[in-house]
Amino acid sequence: KKQKYYYVSSIMHTVSHHLDNGFINPKVTRKMVDAFTQGGLKTDRVRTLNPVKEAYKDKYGEYPPLFCVLSPTKACNLACVGCYATSDRQSTPKLDYETTRKVVQDVHDTFGSRFRTISGGEPFMYKDSGKTICDIFEEFKDMFFLTYTNATLLDENVAKRLAELGNVTPCISVEGFEKETDERRGKGVYQKIFRAIEFLRDAGVPYGMSVTATSKNINILLTEEFYDYYFNELGITYVFQFQMMPVGRGKEVIDLMITPQQRVDLYHLWKKLLSEKRYPIADFWNSGAVVDGCLAYGRWSGYFYVNWHGNVMPCVFVP
């Protein structure tokens, strides 16, 4: 209960701080609040106020999943070492636009969920029938989208469109600082990320950071200075931290996995940063208490995964 309290309060604290600094457009904040209170927060009150969730419960005997992770394309303009999805420029599988739209529509109408996560591949490379992922964002104005991205395609025009839509937050992948990021993602990628952050901040779009803990960056991720820099200097709103998994191209670089002791060390640092510095950081393993355990298999308050072939799976790491 303490960890849940600290996590929710840290989000409120950070959003308030960035609003005061002009980093976030107030219109986007209103969209976020509306999406999460109408279809996201796990409370008994929201359940009773949401007739779609109640209808689902009456029909199936349990409440629907909180959200779905959708990867509409496997294609990516990078070829990162150990990519869990084995994405690259040659990756061609993708969902047609109407199927992508239908998956989003079903989550909205059948589950009563107003929150959606888009992954990949690189979502901003998705294009079908003249439509892009931004057309999905625009059609479903009453939903809020968290989109994992390498940020290299987020130019000034894209940032302005996201600000106008007001219902998207890009979660940008980094590996540490410039050296670590370029080593895994390609030379010059970090500078492209830095420019994308400037565009997003100028437009008032809230953005977060996704980081994968590996044997090559664990020493950096175990320092408070790393998080201080991204939250205080670059103005990120949240961090999602993963740990290197031996799936996809990760099977080729198992030595990048961190040790059990390093996972424990990350856990203790996470608790400190959450409670003392009020940084909204979620470690997808160490933060299990915040979400009552594993999120997979479409349980109530959990999620399931749909990939670029249209396959429905319990978790993004199952393939």
Side-chain angles (χ1 to χ4, degrees), residues 44-263:
D44 290 334
R45 184 167 184 271
V46 170
R47 287 180 184 176
T48 58
L49 288 176
N50 193 319
V52 178
K53 293 183 185 293
E54 291 301 325
Y56 188 99
K57 172 72 160 57
D58 292 342
K59 185 174 182 179
Y60 297 106
E62 58 187 273
Y63 285 101
L66 176 62
F67 66 102
C68 166
V69 175
L70 171 65
S71 293
T73 180
K74 187 181 181 183
C76 183
N77 57 328
L78 303 182
C80 304
V81 176
C83 174
Y84 83 97
T86 324
S87 297
D88 53 42
R89 286 185 179 274
Q90 282 69 50
S91 298
T92 56
K94 68 177 180 179
L95 296 177
D96 63 80
Y97 186 80
E98 187 53 36
T99 300
T100 301
R101 182 190 171 281
K102 186 66 167 61
V103 172
V104 177
Q105 185 79 56
D106 280 353
V107 169
H108 180 281
D109 295 350
T110 307
F111 301 157
S113 174
R114 304 265 299 271
F115 176 68
R116 154 74 71 175
T117 297
I118 305 293
S119 189
E122 170 52 48
F124 288 98
M125 281 191 72
Y126 176 75
K127 190 171 185 178
D128 182 73
S129 303
K131 301 280 191 177
T132 70
I133 198 65
C134 287
D135 291 299
I136 292 289
F137 302 152
E138 186 167 4
E139 178 175 353
F140 294 92
K141 292 182 173 66
D142 63 340
M143 295 187 73
F144 194 82
F145 296 86
L146 185 149
T147 305
Y148 288 101
T149 175
N150 61 41
T152 59
L153 303 178
L154 296 180
D155 59 21
E156 188 173 10
N157 290 331
V158 174
K160 287 180 178 178
R161 186 174 185 188
L162 296 183
E164 291 169 359
L165 292 171
N167 63 343
V168 186
T169 176
C171 187
I172 301 170
S173 298
V174 300
E175 306 300 329
F177 299 111
E178 184 166 14
K179 175 181 177 296
E180 295 76 27
T181 300
D182 284 4
E183 185 177 57
R184 186 179 181 208
R185 297 185 165 267
K187 187 173 178 59
V189 168
Y190 188 81
Q191 286 302 316
K192 292 180 181 178
I193 291 171
F194 198 87
R195 285 195 296 273
I197 286 176
E198 291 181 330
F199 292 140
L200 293 169
R201 188 166 56 189
D202 290 345
V205 178
Y207 49 91
M209 178 177 73
S210 170
V211 60
T212 299
T214 71
S215 58
K216 292 194 173 183
N217 68 3
I218 185 64
N219 291 334
I220 292 173
L221 300 189
L222 286 172
T223 66
E224 294 183 32
E225 291 75 18
F226 171 74
Y227 306 93
D228 290 340
Y229 174 72
Y230 278 96
F231 277 104
N232 300 329
E233 299 297 325
L234 295 191
I236 65 168
T237 305
Y238 55 88
V239 169
F240 287 134
Q241 191 167 97
F242 298 87
Q243 292 166 24
M244 183 69 190
M245 298 289 284
V247 297
R249 282 200 296 272
K251 291 183 292 187
E252 305 164 6
V253 284
I254 292 179
D255 60 318
L256 287 181
M257 294 178 67
I258 61 175
T259 67
Q261 183 58 53
Q262 288 167 336
R263 291 176 65 169

